[in-house]
Amino acid sequence: MPLAPLLALLNNIVEIRLDAIQFVVDMRRPVAMKADGIGIWQNILEFVVKLAVIANAFLIAFTSDIIPQIFYRYRHHGTSGLDGYVNYTLVHVPSGCNYTLAHVPSGCRYHGYHDELGNHTLYYCELLIVRLAFVVVFEHFVFSIAGLIDLMVPDIPRSLYLKIKREEYLSQQALVEVEHEDEMMKD
C-alpha cells in the first residue's frame, strides 16, 4: 500500500484544522470602538464639496453663453431680446496676420471680443469681470443655501434622540438599583 495518499490525507486534515483555527482566532473582526464622527474624512469631504461648487461656478461662467447673453441684453437695453447678439460676438480676422492657410476669405469671422488689431476690447474686460462676479455670487449663494439647510436639519433625528435619552435614563436606573442592592447586602 502506497504511503503518499495516506500522508496527503493527513496533511489535508491538519491544514483544514489549522485554517479553521486561524479564521476563528487570528482573523476575527476587530472590536468596534465608539467614535463621535467620521474624523478627518469630514474635513476632506467638505473641502471636496467646496471645490466642486467653485469648479461648477467657473464652468457655468466661462463655458456657457448664458452670462454673455444676459450681459448683452443689459448693455444694449434698447434691443428687444438678443437681436444682433451673434453678429456682436463675431470678430473679423485681423488684417496683416500671417496665416498658414492658403486662402483666408475676407469675410472670415470667429467668436471673440477683439478689435481690428486683435487686441481685447473693453467689452471683453467688462464681460470677464461679470463672469468672475457671477462665480463669487454663485458660490456664496450655494454655500448660504447649504448652511441654511444644515441649520434646519438636525444632526440626530428626534426619534433617535428620544431613544438615546431613554437608554441613558434606563442605564442610570439600573445603576441606582445595583447600588441600592449592594447597600442592602452590606446591612
Side-chain angles (χ1 to χ4, degrees):
M1 180 165 147
L3 197 55
L6 183 62
L7 291 176
L9 177 65
L10 184 63
N11 178 48
N12 286 346
I13 291 172
V14 170
E15 189 175 341
I16 288 172
R17 290 277 113 263
L18 288 176
D19 286 345
I21 290 170
Q22 185 180 10
F23 283 134
V24 171
V25 175
D26 295 337
M27 294 187 169
R28 289 189 309 184
R29 181 183 295 182
V31 177
M33 295 173 28
K34 185 175 181 179
D36 290 334
I38 60 174
I40 190 67
W41 287 103
Q42 181 71 29
N43 297 335
I44 293 170
L45 289 174
E46 287 174 1
F47 174 75
V48 168
V49 166
K50 289 179 182 176
L51 191 64
V53 168
I54 293 170
N56 283 326
F58 273 102
L59 280 172
I60 293 170
F62 287 94
T63 61
S64 72
D65 244 7
I66 295 171
I67 294 173
Q69 288 175 358
I70 293 171
F71 188 59
Y72 178 81
R73 282 186 194 157
Y74 171 75
R75 188 117 188 265
H76 299 91
H77 56 282
T79 62
S80 63
L82 294 172
D83 294 340
Y85 171 73
V86 173
N87 227 6
Y88 193 77
T89 60
L90 296 177
V91 179
H92 289 281
V93 175
S95 58
C97 288
N98 297 328
Y99 289 102
T100 58
L101 299 174
H103 175 61
V104 176
S106 61
C108 184
R109 299 175 78 181
Y110 64 96
H111 183 74
Y113 303 101
H114 304 292
D115 59 11
E116 295 81 23
L117 301 175
N119 300 324
H120 290 296
T121 61
L122 179 63
Y123 183 80
Y124 172 80
C125 296
E126 291 172 351
L127 183 59
L128 183 63
I129 291 170
V130 168
R131 285 177 166 168
L132 292 174
F134 171 80
V135 169
V136 171
V137 169
F138 180 81
E139 66 91 15
H140 275 73
F141 175 74
V142 170
F143 290 149
S144 62
I145 294 296
L148 284 174
I149 291 172
D150 192 32
L151 287 174
M152 291 172 46
V153 176
D155 291 337
I156 300 174
R158 178 128 177 96
S159 61
L160 180 61
Y161 177 76
L162 292 174
K163 288 178 182 177
I164 291 172
K165 287 297 181 187
R166 183 175 186 274
E167 187 70 29
E168 288 174 1
Y169 173 75
L170 291 175
S171 64
Q172 287 293 330
Q173 290 297 337
L175 186 62
V176 168
E177 286 179 17
V178 168
E179 288 176 356
H180 183 65
E181 287 176 7
D182 286 346
E183 287 178 9
M184 297 295 279
M185 292 268 210
K186 287 180 184 177
D187 291 343

